[in-house]
Structures are given as C-alpha cells and as structure tokens.
Amino acid sequence: MPCYSIEGVVPVIDPSAYVHPTAVLIGDVIVGPDCYVGPCAVLRGDFGRIVLERGSNVQDTCVVHGFPAQDTVVEENGHIGHGAVLHSCIVRRDALVGMNAVVMDEAEIGEASIVAACAFVPAGRKIPPRSLAAGMPAKVMRALSDQEVAWKLEGTRTYQALTLRSLASMQEVAALTAVEPERPRVAAPDVKPLIATRRG
C-alpha cells in the first residue's frame, strides 16, 4: 500500500492487521493488532500521531488526521464507518462512528457509544458512554439499549473476521468478462443492519 515516511517517521502496521493496498498511511501512524483499514482510507500522521488500537477498523474512504498537541486515537474495538472523518479526537473502546460522520478536534466519543451516520460532532464535545449521538451538531439523543450495544459489537467482530479473510485470500486479479455458471458467493458471515434486528 502507499506508505510514506515524513521527517524520518515511518508508519507502523502490526503483522496481524490488514491494510488495503489503496489505503494511504503517512508518517506517525500506528496500526495495532487485528485492525482493518479499508480501501482508499487516508491516515495522515504528518502533524499529529494516529493510533488504531487492537481490533479497531477504519473503513473505506475515511480520513484520519490531527494536530500535534493531541493524538487521534481509535481505542480497542472502535468502529469507524465508511467515509467518516476523524480530526484530533478520541473514539473510546467499543464506540462506533457512523458513515460520513465528522468528529472534530478534542471531541471524545464515550465507550460503547454510537455516533449516527452523517452526524457532526463539534470540537470539544464529549459524548458520554453508551449514548446515541445524532444531528448537526451532534446531540445526545438517548442511552443505548443492550441490544444496540450487542449489535455494534457483532458488527465489529465481522470486521475483525474480515481482517483474517482479507489476509488469507484477497488478491488483485483481472476482472472476468462474463458471469460464470453457478457463480459462487462470498462466504461472509450473516451480518444484519440494526433495523433488521429490530424486526426480528
């Protein structure tokens, strides 16, 4: 993958992590064990340090950056959805930042909290543990149910499994020109959106 040092500081990727070949890592970036970094994610440690702790994931097209005074950290089992932007913030253990959400400088997402898709968490905002935050600017809507916390953890575990699947089998190939007979399906786990768990 495109991996660049700056001023002699080189990104670190644990051997058990999976970083997609199109992701870009620059400078003071530390990707911990069992992490997943998706396609076209950008982790720019050219001002401040970026740390992904064990089992966290940063999905496709996310941008992670920050100022020198505060590390940008995704703690253990943190889950950063497609297209989210993190800047000089902390995402605590087991928290989820939804798709296309933005979390700004010195904000803190509390343990096991969920930031809704497209939310904007302003600089300095502290989201308490086990809370749902949504809106622009993001406000705490309510406490999370046990079912929602369990759903989030299951989703994170599917990304930890994707790390293993990707390390074992992902490779660049030429596309086929036609669909083959009896085309196989990807052997993905039976993961469901939260709305489907509510129906069940």
Side-chain angles (χ1 to χ4, degrees):
M1 87 276 323
C3 202
Y4 302 93
S5 68
I6 185 167
E7 297 168 348
V9 180
V10 178
V12 176
I13 303 171
D14 188 273
S16 66
Y18 177 79
V19 178
H20 191 273
T22 61
V24 178
L25 278 59
I26 299 171
D28 197 359
V29 176
I30 302 167
V31 178
D34 308 320
C35 290
Y36 175 87
V37 178
C40 301
V42 177
L43 284 70
R44 268 184 56 209
D46 49 11
F47 289 175
R49 178 169 292 171
I50 295 167
V51 180
L52 305 185
E53 294 186 0
R54 179 183 295 275
S56 60
N57 67 77
V58 172
Q59 297 171 22
D60 33 307
T61 73
C62 289
V63 175
V64 184
H65 191 241
F67 291 121
Q70 179 177 344
D71 296 350
T72 305
V73 180
V74 180
E75 291 188 346
E76 185 170 353
N77 292 340
H79 192 108
I80 312 303
H82 317 292
V85 177
L86 305 181
H87 202 277
S88 282
C89 60
I90 298 176
V91 178
R92 294 290 181 200
R93 179 186 174 115
D94 290 320
L96 180 150
V97 174
M99 294 180 254
N100 290 310
V102 176
V103 183
M104 289 300 296
D105 311 309
E106 299 182 27
E108 183 176 321
I109 309 306
E111 183 171 330
S113 285
I114 294 176
V115 174
C118 298
F120 177 78
V121 181
R125 179 74 44 95
K126 309 294 185 202
I127 305 300
R130 284 186 64 113
S131 299
L132 172 65
M136 297 177 75
K139 295 184 172 126
V140 175
M141 309 304 282
R142 59 177 172 77
L144 291 173
S145 68
D146 290 343
Q147 180 191 35
E148 289 166 325
V149 171
W151 169 82
K152 183 271 162 196
L153 184 55
E154 181 184 354
T156 300
R157 286 179 177 146
T158 66
Y159 268 89
Q160 291 165 351
L162 180 58
T163 297
L164 297 174
R165 293 168 57 213
S166 298
L167 287 169
S169 68
M170 190 173 295
Q171 55 187 302
E172 188 170 356
V173 296
L176 301 174
T177 57
V179 178
E180 65 269 53
E182 298 183 26
R183 179 176 173 82
R185 290 191 177 267
V186 174
D190 184 26
V191 66
K192 293 185 173 100
L194 184 57
I195 192 168
T197 66
R198 289 179 180 148
R199 280 197 221 92

